[in-house]
Amino acid sequence: MLIIFLGAPGSGKGTISEKLVKSHNFKHISTGDIFRKMIKSKTPLGNKLKNLIEEGNLVDDETTWEVAKETLENSDLKKEKLILDGYPRNIFQAKLLRKYLESINFKNVKIIYYNVSDKEILERLSGRRMCPICGKSYHLKFVKPKVKGICDDDGGELYQRKDDMNVQVRIDAYKEVTEPLIDFYKKEKKLIIIDAEMNIEDIVKKTLEVTS
Ligand code: AP5
């Protein structure tokens, strides 16, 4: 099964994925995580994308499709429950993905939209802190580590993502190019909407229900 996670920056896509991978055997691919790894390991593409991503802008469609396609080709969609987080992010990308899935005759796709208000997004992203080792995200108020500033799982020293200092740019990009996907998938009668302002455990439970 392919499960597409749609939602604004900070809607909780990464947090929900982390729980589903840990306890329910899902596989999680985030285009954002892949780009951040490229930046960290200073690959030529990572160096090229660094400023663009940290300033909150979107990566071009060609590069993103290369990353998404490679992910899909290396996955066994018939056996795995693969979460695709961060792709597609505009109508063009959605059409590319649809064409690819048609070409391999794959139909078992769920599209989940995690709905949150702008106010909540701002609060979540300004308080988000990340582990540099495992990539787990925490929040200063909502998801605190056991020891302040330290990852529960591996002792990594938590840091703030640079693009979390450019939240407004990301929200604007989201509203302009990603939000139209909601109508796109609604018209295809494929959209599952989940209230992402509930507590994390309830959101995970709801996600499990709709993907069972
Ligand atoms: P990406 O990494 O995908 O960033 P994003 O979509 O902005 O999503 P986030 O990771 O910010 O948020 P999230 O929804 O995962 O929230 P989280 O779970 O951490 O992309 C980064 C960049 O890569 C893009 O800006 C772009 O440049 C590029 N890119 C990637 N894909 C692309 C594409 N297809 N096309 C073009 N460019 C692309 O939660 C946020 C915080 O809230 C955390 O602190 C968490 O602890 C807390 N929290 C989560 N859920 C709850 C809850 N229910 N209650 C309370 N707190 C909660």
Side-chain angles (χ1 to χ4, degrees):
M1 180 189 294
L2 177 66
I3 306 145
I4 295 171
F5 275 14
L6 277 184
S11 53
K13 305 178 296 292
T15 304
I16 301 156
S17 299
E18 198 246 338
K19 300 221 177 269
L20 293 174
V21 169
K22 218 172 187 172
S23 314
H24 300 279
N25 224 13
F26 282 65
K27 186 175 161 189
H28 172 229
I29 300 288
S30 147
T31 43
D33 285 349
I34 294 173
F35 292 139
R36 278 185 291 280
K37 273 190 197 131
M38 288 175 176
I39 293 173
K40 201 173 164 194
S41 28
K42 298 190 172 18
T43 64
L45 183 58
N47 290 335
K48 204 175 118 195
L49 298 180
K50 186 175 187 297
N51 288 344
L52 184 100
I53 290 181
E54 289 181 353
E55 282 163 16
N57 299 303
L58 294 177
V59 176
D60 66 278
D61 289 334
E62 199 184 325
T63 305
T64 344
W65 176 237
E66 268 175 44
V67 168
K69 187 163 176 266
E70 196 184 332
T71 295
L72 293 167
E73 285 173 347
N74 290 331
S75 303
D76 187 346
L77 293 179
K78 291 204 171 109
K79 288 197 186 132
E80 294 166 345
K81 284 191 173 188
L82 174 70
I83 300 168
L84 193 53
D85 165 3
Y87 197 95
R89 234 181 177 96
N90 61 36
I91 305 274
F92 179 78
Q93 294 180 7
K95 287 183 177 166
L96 270 183
L97 177 63
R98 185 172 63 190
K99 205 166 150 201
Y100 171 80
L101 294 172
E102 280 169 4
S103 77
I104 59 165
N105 198 23
F106 187 80
K107 294 194 176 79
N108 192 7
V109 182
K110 305 267 181 192
I111 297 145
I112 305 180
Y113 167 52
Y114 293 99
N115 190 18
V116 280
S117 65
D118 289 359
K119 185 173 166 275
E120 182 80 12
I121 294 170
L122 284 170
E123 191 163 16
R124 285 190 190 177
L125 292 183
S126 56
R128 173 165 61 183
R129 296 295 181 269
M130 305 290 299
C131 172
I133 300 170
C134 66
K136 186 169 173 175
S137 78
Y138 293 86
H139 192 279
L140 294 177
K141 215 159 99 188
F142 305 135
V143 187
K144 293 182 184 174
K146 290 184 190 118
V147 178
K148 195 177 169 200
I150 302 292
C151 177
D152 294 342
D153 294 348
D154 52 34
E157 212 172 302
L158 305 184
Y159 74 100
Q160 185 171 27
R161 256 170 63 172
K162 288 230 173 83
D163 62 347
D164 281 350
M165 296 164 197
N166 288 308
V167 175
Q168 198 53 50
V169 180
R170 288 160 64 209
I171 294 179
D172 292 347
Y174 171 77
K175 291 209 181 284
E176 193 186 333
V177 303
T178 310
E179 217 165 49
L181 281 176
I182 296 164
D183 272 345
F184 177 87
Y185 285 123
K186 259 189 194 162
K187 277 186 197 139
E188 294 198 342
K189 303 206 181 331
K190 281 192 180 146
L191 197 71
I192 300 162
I193 302 175
I194 294 183
D195 171 7
E197 293 198 16
M198 298 187 287
N199 70 59
I200 295 165
E201 297 314 323
D202 286 340
I203 300 170
V204 169
K205 201 168 141 211
K206 195 84 199 152
T207 306
L208 284 169
E209 273 169 32
V210 299
T211 52
S212 64

